[in-house]
């Protein structure tokens, strides 16, 4: 069994859950925060059999879109400490980890 941990954008989170549940996968949605942008994102956990991992990844690929975000970074120290400059980063589609599950129980 595998645990798929997918960090996705909030905009894609609800549609991803809908698509997974529609296809019979069990999923849990967590409200999370990205370490770089410090903005809210969504982490979806999916526990599934090994042979279904590619199906779950296909759903994630179909739903989650890359988007450009502009973030302001501080220029530096001293006089520059109070100024910032914008940079553009591409976020997503999704950051996905696939973990081996040692034991799974529903009690
Ligand atoms: P954030 O950490 O808020 O990162 C948002 C986006 O900022 C990243 O998009 C990437 O394009 C950029 N970025 C992140 N760290 C950077 C850095 N040190 N320098 C320059 N640009 C940087 P994604 O790569 O698509 O990541 C989206 C979110 O997925 C991340 O939000 C974070 O919450 C999660 N994530 C990504 N890689 C991860 C990892 N190795 N471990 C844990 N979480 C991860």
């Amino acid at each position: 069994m595998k645990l798929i941990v997918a960090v996705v954008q909030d905009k894609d989170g609800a549609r991803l859950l809908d698509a997974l549940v529609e296809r019979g996968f069990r999923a849990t949605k967590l409200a999370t925060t990205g370490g770089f942008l410090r903005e809210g994102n969504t982490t979806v956990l999916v526990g599934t059999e090994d042979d279904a991992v590619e199906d779950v990844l296909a759903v994630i690929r179909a739903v989650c879109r890359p988007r450009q975000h502009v973030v302001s970074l501080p220029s530096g120290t001293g006089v520059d400490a109070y100024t910032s400059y914008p940079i553009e980063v591409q976020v997503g589609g999704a950051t996905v980890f696939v973990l081996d599950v040692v034991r799974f129980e529903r009690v």
Side-chain angles (χ1 to χ4, degrees), residues 7 33-38 41 89-92 95 97:
V7 185
T33 302
F36 186 68
L37 294 180
R38 305 293 165 101
N41 55 26
V89 293
Q90 178 174 305
V91 183
T95 299
F97 304 87

Side-chain angles (χ1 to χ4, degrees), residues 44-55:
V44 176
L45 307 179
V46 187
T48 190
E49 295 310 320
D50 292 21
D51 61 6
V53 167
E54 289 308 320
D55 295 339

Side-chain angles (χ1 to χ4, degrees), residues 49-72:
E49 295 310 320
D50 292 21
D51 61 6
V53 167
E54 289 308 320
D55 295 339
V56 173
L57 294 182
V59 174
I60 294 171
R61 282 191 200 100
V63 170
C64 297
R65 300 263 167 267
R67 296 185 183 88
Q68 300 299 126
H69 283 238
V70 176
V71 57
S72 287

